[in-house]
Amino acid sequence: MAVRPGLWPALLGIVLTAWLHGSGAQQSATVANPVPGTNPDLLPHFLVEPEDVYIVKNKPVLLVCKAMPATQIFFKCNGEWVRQVDHVIERSTDDSSGLPAMEVRINVSRQQVEKVFGLEEYWCQCVAWSSSGTTKSQKAYIRIAYLRKNFEQEPLAKEVSLEQGIVLPCRPPEGIPPAEVEWLRNEDLVDPSLDPNVYITREHSLVVRQARLADTANYTCVAKNIVARRRSASAAVIVYVNGGWSTWTEWSVCSASCGRGWQKRSRSCTNPAPLNGGAFCEGQNVQKTACATLCPVDGSWSPWSKWSACGLDCTHWRSRECSDPAPRNGGEECRGIDLDTRNCTSDLCVHTASGPEDVALYVGLIAVAVCLLLLLPVLILVYCRKKEGLDSDVADSSILTSGFQPVSIKPSKADNPHLLTIQPDLSTTTTTCQGSLCPRQDGPSPKFQLANGHLLSPLGGGRHTLHHSSPTSEAEDFVSRLSTQNYFRSLPRGTSNMTYGTFNFLGGRLMIPNTAGCQTLLSPIVSCGPPGVLLTRPVILVMDHCGEPCPESWSLRLKKQSCEGSWEDVLHLGEEAPSHLYYCQLEAGACYVFTEQLGRFALVGEALSVTATKRLKLLLFAPVACTSLEYNIRVYCLHDTHDALKEVVQLEKQLGGQLIQEPRVLHFKDSYHNLRLSIHDVPSSLWKSKLLVSYQEIPFYHIWNGTQQYLHCTFPLERVSPSTSDLACKVWVWQVEGDGQSFSINFNITKDTRFAELLALESEGGVPALVGPSAFKIPFLIRQKIITSLDPPCSRGADWRTLAQKLHLDSHLSFFASKPSPTAMILNLWEARHFPNGNLSQLAAAVAGLGQPDAGLFTVSEAEC
């Protein structure tokens, strides 16, 4: 059919309109519309159809169509025909069939797609014509490719125990085409095909079936498509191992080779050892149990038997047995012979009688034997009677002395001045006991060396050894040998630590003089001088202390250093005598000591039970400025006294430290349990703890003896980045099976100083020395009027006794009464207790309420001060 060129567009429009109305809802399949009456085999068929494509950034995409036989091909995009000038057309003829072929290409830009973006998807389709009809290709969808930056869900850091499952979720950023997800472990690709313990879910979560130590790493989720590649924040996964106990070792050999002792066994937290912050094993690593070892008994000879009759060989014999006692429990056998043979005829062996002289000899021997036989019962009878008399005397003596013989303690010989000895009774078998104890503090002149730092703590591992000796002159050698034993070389030399005694079968008692329970320092050492000066009236020393005063738990003593440097008991609290040079008013946080003699004083306590408690002040310090990645938290455990706090504050100022938490008080009991400190909940993404153990310990005796300064533990941390400045964690401090405190730390290490002012208030120094009226709250003239009015006894009770009751000091009436001016003592104690912030109005109310006729003279106001 011939068509004029001018009519072709109109005809094309008619055909296209017919095709458009007849196309229906065809989407992506090739559709043919034959012309009636034509050969359908000559309909165009597509050799190349347009395919779905993505626009990356601003690069246009190319769509290609090729059909045969085809006389015309046009693109239609989103229902609109593409202009003819935008087509690039190539015509050709198929060599085998001679049919015309046609190839058309168009470019689609980002701007074209963005015009319909959000309304519908952008698509293009080819339409090819031949003489037999038209055919349309499949639709090709053109989309703008992108990948957003932010993940919808990123993996988070985890700490899991060994063999526990791990799930790390990851939801990639939104994108077209959808992003593919892969995982990196320490920057290495995780391939589930190579590791059956790992798989990736459809939701892109990484799952580790059973955590291994090798799974401790930094995990990163990676999302990528044709546009970009995105990485999530790395998630640190720590696989920790909780410690497990090894099996118990065999019980050790009994510590005592003779008698009662101890044996122990141990185990270690190595099965497995805690790793990567895992929990340490709970329980004790050492067990002790009592044991008893039978003491070896050396054998001893029984008495010799009687001589046998003279034999034909002119000898006779006697025997003895190793049975008095027989050796047992590994004791030594008797030394010597058990059979003794001698000549019984003075070496003149005569076997037959050969004359009158021999007969006379035998008769004489027989007579002597008969005399001996008659004399033997007499001797036995006399011996038994003497034995009975001795036993009755000894029994009477034991009754009078309650079973103990009187002994006298005498200094040892000059060559061994370190022992005290009881004069031994060398007439009987003896048992000697030597031992060491803590020095007693309530004797006539006890030694108390505060400067040494160890005399307040008990001597560890005190040993008591029994030595057996025979009643010979070896007793003196035993004394000198005793002082050279290895286990006494470390003990303090002197008669106050060692004693020696000898006892017979009646028993006795061996004591080391001046020994008692071990003591602990409860207050600072207060010095005032010149030492030894006697005053005309008492002064009051105010001493902070850290003990929880309870008569059932503590035995408290005031000690004073003598001129020789030793510490002596000068006052046992609760047993004060009114006429004594010293007196003490004990309160919860301080004691007020009345003394008429200057010197060096300290308050010392001896625990009477495990309920005895000391107050510890807990302070947390950290550097003010942090110029490196390392950062240390120091936890101090001090006696709850003002002086201890002040010393630590001065030390931390020199170290450049600052207080990071409000101080707290912990009650530390005399239970022999250590103090434990630990740090928890440190954010692993910002900080790393360099501590290799789960907790630290301060030994019980380091705290209890009271002489060690600046007790503290340090928790070293390390910042992951220099920009990290916020720290949030918890510090726990507790006594095993006792009281504990928990600190929640949350502050900025570069600019948070909120606790500096609190520390300044707690540690500010006392006022300097004040002389004269400015040192007292009560004006001098009013004080003298009160003393003059209340010192004389009053029948109506309006005297110093009533004032003491109103001020709650009536428990010290006997002490006040022993002084020339009881009222002056009461006012002095009031000044000491209420300095420097005493309320004069309360004192004025107490004085005015006594009912004196001239009570108006005692009214005290701030104006009169």
Side-chain angles (χ1 to χ4, degrees):
M1 181 181 64
V3 180
R4 289 183 302 171
L7 296 178
W8 175 253
L11 181 58
L12 178 62
I14 296 172
V15 173
L16 289 178
T17 302
W19 170 83
L20 180 62
H21 287 287
S23 62
Q26 303 294 331
Q27 295 294 324
S28 60
T30 302
V31 179
N33 291 320
V35 177
T38 61
N39 185 2
D41 293 334
L42 297 179
L43 286 173
H45 66 276
F46 287 94
L47 302 177
V48 177
E49 293 185 87
E51 296 181 350
D52 295 345
V53 67
Y54 294 95
I55 296 177
V56 178
K57 297 182 180 179
N58 293 320
K59 297 179 180 179
V61 294
L62 180 67
L63 298 181
V64 180
C65 279
K66 186 175 182 180
M68 183 186 72
T71 58
Q72 197 66 258
I73 297 178
F74 282 94
F75 271 95
K76 189 176 187 179
C77 295
N78 276 56
E80 296 182 1
W81 292 102
V82 179
R83 296 183 307 170
Q84 185 175 3
V85 294
D86 294 333
H87 291 72
V88 178
I89 302 174
E90 290 185 6
R91 300 180 184 272
S92 62
T93 303
D94 185 66
D95 296 334
S96 59
S97 62
L99 296 176
M102 195 173 191
E103 180 177 330
V104 179
R105 295 189 295 273
I106 64 170
N107 286 322
V108 179
S109 67
R110 183 186 184 98
Q111 291 77 11
Q112 292 175 270
V113 177
E114 286 179 343
K115 287 181 181 180
V116 297
F117 184 76
L119 300 177
E120 57 180 326
E121 290 189 296
Y122 192 90
W123 56 268
C124 291
Q125 192 174 35
C126 286
V127 180
W129 285 266
S130 70
S131 59
S132 299
T134 62
T135 305
K136 59 182 179 179
S137 70
Q138 65 181 6
K139 288 183 179 180
Y141 290 89
I142 300 92
R143 301 178 177 90
I144 299 175
Y146 66 94
L147 183 62
R148 301 195 185 279
K149 293 184 178 180
N150 297 327
F151 280 73
E152 295 184 4
Q153 184 179 9
E154 292 186 293
L156 300 177
K158 290 181 178 290
E159 293 184 1
V160 297
S161 62
L162 192 66
E163 298 184 354
Q164 181 181 345
I166 305 175
V167 178
L168 296 176
C170 176
R171 292 171 60 190
E174 179 186 350
I176 294 178
E180 299 177 359
V181 173
E182 62 184 17
W183 285 86
L184 301 180
R185 179 196 290 133
N186 288 341
E187 303 303 323
D188 294 331
L189 182 65
V190 177
D191 189 353
S193 63
L194 301 178
D195 187 355
N197 194 44
V198 177
Y199 68 92
I200 300 175
T201 66
R202 293 181 178 179
E203 295 78 19
H204 311 297
S205 297
L206 178 66
V207 178
V208 180
R209 291 183 173 88
Q210 289 186 328
R212 304 157 296 188
L213 289 178
D215 294 322
T216 298
N218 292 322
Y219 288 84
T220 307
C221 180
V222 179
K224 62 181 180 179
N225 63 7
I226 60 176
V227 178
R229 187 173 187 266
R230 311 291 187 199
R231 291 168 56 99
S232 70
S234 295
V237 175
I238 298 177
V239 180
Y240 62 85
V241 179
N242 292 326
W245 289 114
S246 65
T247 57
W248 288 102
T249 61
E250 297 294 331
W251 287 104
S252 64
V253 180
C254 193
S255 61
S257 59
C258 173
R260 183 177 177 83
W262 296 92
Q263 58 182 163
K264 66 179 181 179
R265 64 177 182 175
S266 62
R267 58 181 179 175
S268 59
C269 189
T270 56
N271 188 31
L275 191 65
N276 295 337
F280 197 78
C281 303
E282 295 184 357
Q284 298 186 356
N285 62 340
V286 177
Q287 283 185 346
K288 288 186 177 181
T289 185
C291 59
T293 305
L294 296 176
C295 297
V297 178
D298 295 338
S300 180
W301 291 113
S302 64
W304 285 103
S305 65
K306 297 180 182 179
W307 288 102
S308 66
C310 193
L312 296 177
D313 55 353
C314 301
T315 60
H316 60 172
W317 53 271
R318 64 178 179 174
S319 64
R320 59 180 178 176
E321 295 180 352
C322 188
S323 59
D324 191 22
R328 60 180 182 270
N329 304 329
E332 294 185 358
E333 295 285 344
C334 302
R335 296 184 180 181
I337 60 175
D338 59 351
L339 184 65
D340 185 15
T341 304
R342 291 184 181 179
N343 189 289
C344 55
T345 59
S346 301
D347 297 328
L348 298 175
C349 186
V350 179
H351 296 284
T352 60
S354 60
E357 296 82 7
D358 296 334
V359 174
L361 176 62
Y362 286 121
V363 171
L365 292 175
I366 293 173
V368 171
V370 171
C371 292
L372 291 175
L373 291 175
L374 295 176
L375 184 60
L376 182 60
V378 177
L379 294 176
I380 293 175
L381 181 60
V382 172
Y383 174 78
C384 291
R385 288 185 177 180
K386 287 185 177 181
K387 185 71 169 59
E388 291 175 359
L390 177 60
D391 292 342
S392 62
D393 293 341
V394 172
D396 294 340
S397 173
S398 65
I399 293 172
L400 293 175
T401 59
S402 300
F404 298 96
Q405 289 186 342
V407 296
S408 60
I409 299 177
K410 300 179 181 181
S412 63
K413 296 183 179 182
D415 58 350
N416 199 354
H418 304 298
L419 301 176
L420 291 181
T421 180
I422 300 175
Q423 188 63 29
D425 178 7
L426 300 181
S427 62
T428 57
T429 303
T430 63
T431 300
T432 304
C433 178
Q434 173 169 339
S436 64
L437 298 172
C438 293
R440 186 182 181 92
Q441 308 303 337
D442 55 358
S445 59
K447 302 295 182 182
F448 185 72
Q449 301 290 340
L450 282 175
N452 294 339
H454 297 289
L455 297 182
L456 285 174
S457 59
L459 291 173
R463 305 181 182 180
H464 305 273
T465 307
L466 293 176
H467 301 273
H468 300 277
S469 61
S470 59
T472 64
S473 60
E474 295 177 353
E476 297 179 359
D477 296 336
F478 169 72
V479 174
S480 62
R481 187 169 64 252
L482 192 64
S483 63
T484 61
Q485 297 294 329
N486 292 333
Y487 44 77
F488 293 111
R489 292 177 181 170
S490 62
L491 296 179
R493 296 296 182 182
T495 58
S496 63
N497 296 294
M498 189 177 298
T499 188
Y500 165 76
T502 305
F503 307 95
N504 59 16
F505 63 93
L506 294 178
R509 185 188 299 273
L510 182 66
M511 296 182 295
I512 299 178
N514 305 328
T515 57
C518 301
Q519 300 177 341
T520 178
L521 184 64
L522 297 178
S523 74
I525 301 174
V526 178
S527 300
C528 56
V533 173
L534 287 174
L535 306 175
T536 57
R537 64 186 67 180
V539 297
I540 300 178
L541 302 180
V542 183
M543 303 168 61
D544 292 344
H545 69 83
C546 62
E548 287 292 325
C550 179
E552 294 79 12
S553 303
W554 286 105
S555 174
L556 302 177
R557 287 179 170 85
L558 180 69
K559 288 186 176 288
K560 179 177 179 294
Q561 192 174 32
S562 66
C563 298
E564 293 79 12
S566 61
W567 287 85
E568 303 173 346
D569 288 340
V570 295
L571 183 64
H572 188 178
L573 272 65
E575 300 178 4
E576 300 93 338
S579 59
H580 205 276
L581 288 176
Y582 309 95
Y583 199 82
C584 182
Q585 158 74 7
L586 182 66
E587 296 186 358
C591 61
Y592 303 89
V593 179
F594 293 82
T595 176
E596 298 180 11
Q597 189 176 29
L598 303 183
R600 201 166 184 224
F601 298 90
L603 182 65
V604 174
E606 178 182 338
L608 302 180
S609 68
V610 294
T611 60
T613 303
K614 296 172 69 172
R615 296 189 313 276
L616 300 183
K617 179 80 78 173
L618 305 178
L619 297 99
L620 273 64
F621 282 90
V624 174
C626 184
T627 58
S628 64
L629 295 179
E630 294 184 356
Y631 192 78
N632 294 330
I633 297 178
R634 294 180 290 276
V635 183
Y636 288 87
C637 305
L638 318 173
H639 282 175
D640 187 16
T641 62
H642 182 82
D643 297 84
L645 176 63
K646 184 178 179 180
E647 290 179 357
V648 168
V649 170
Q650 292 176 351
L651 174 65
E652 279 294 329
K653 285 183 179 179
Q654 297 175 3
L655 297 177
Q658 66 171 336
L659 188 70
I660 61 173
Q661 271 292 309
E662 183 176 352
R664 297 188 184 178
V665 174
L666 182 141
H667 293 84
F668 192 79
K669 290 186 177 181
D670 182 23
S671 60
Y672 296 95
H673 289 297
N674 297 341
L675 189 70
R676 289 185 178 177
L677 303 93
S678 61
I679 188 168
H680 303 271
D681 300 340
V682 179
S684 57
S685 60
L686 301 176
W687 295 85
K688 180 173 66 176
S689 175
K690 301 176 68 177
L691 198 64
L692 301 180
V693 294
S694 58
Y695 61 85
Q696 303 184 66
E697 278 194 350
I698 299 179
F700 170 82
Y701 286 112
H702 287 190
I703 298 175
W704 195 256
N705 62 22
T707 58
Q708 299 202 22
Q709 291 183 319
Y710 314 136
L711 280 175
H712 73 281
C713 285
T714 300
F715 292 98
L717 303 176
E718 184 177 349
R719 294 187 288 177
V720 175
S721 169
S723 61
T724 301
S725 59
D726 291 325
L727 175 60
C729 62
K730 291 183 179 179
V731 174
W732 293 351
V733 183
W734 77 101
Q735 186 182 17
V736 179
E737 299 183 9
D739 189 21
Q741 291 286 359
S742 174
F743 294 87
S744 295
I745 300 174
N746 190 352
F747 77 112
N748 188 292
I749 66 174
T750 59
K751 56 185 178 182
D752 199 337
T753 59
R754 51 184 157 169
F755 296 104
E757 182 177 353
L758 174 64
L759 185 61
L761 293 176
E762 290 204 15
S763 61
E764 61 183 1
V767 297
L770 299 177
V771 181
S774 61
F776 305 100
K777 295 289 291 184
I778 306 173
F780 179 75
L781 293 178
I782 297 179
R783 171 189 172 91
Q784 291 303 111
K785 290 179 182 180
I786 297 175
I787 293 173
T788 304
S789 176
L790 299 184
D791 271 350
C794 180
S795 59
R796 293 181 292 108
D799 57 9
W800 62 269
R801 294 177 178 83
T802 308
L803 178 63
Q805 292 176 357
K806 288 183 175 291
L807 298 179
H808 307 289
L809 300 175
D810 47 335
S811 59
H812 309 302
L813 292 180
S814 57
F815 170 72
F816 296 145
S818 66
K819 301 303 175 185
S821 176
T823 309
M825 293 295 100
I826 295 174
L827 297 181
N828 289 346
L829 182 55
W830 185 91
E831 289 274 10
R833 294 173 67 189
H834 297 86
F835 181 82
N837 300 317
N839 190 341
L840 287 178
S841 299
Q842 295 180 355
L843 178 62
V847 174
L850 296 180
Q852 287 278 357
D854 52 350
L857 296 176
F858 306 143
T859 302
V860 181
S861 65
E862 297 292 342
E864 291 178 314
C865 299

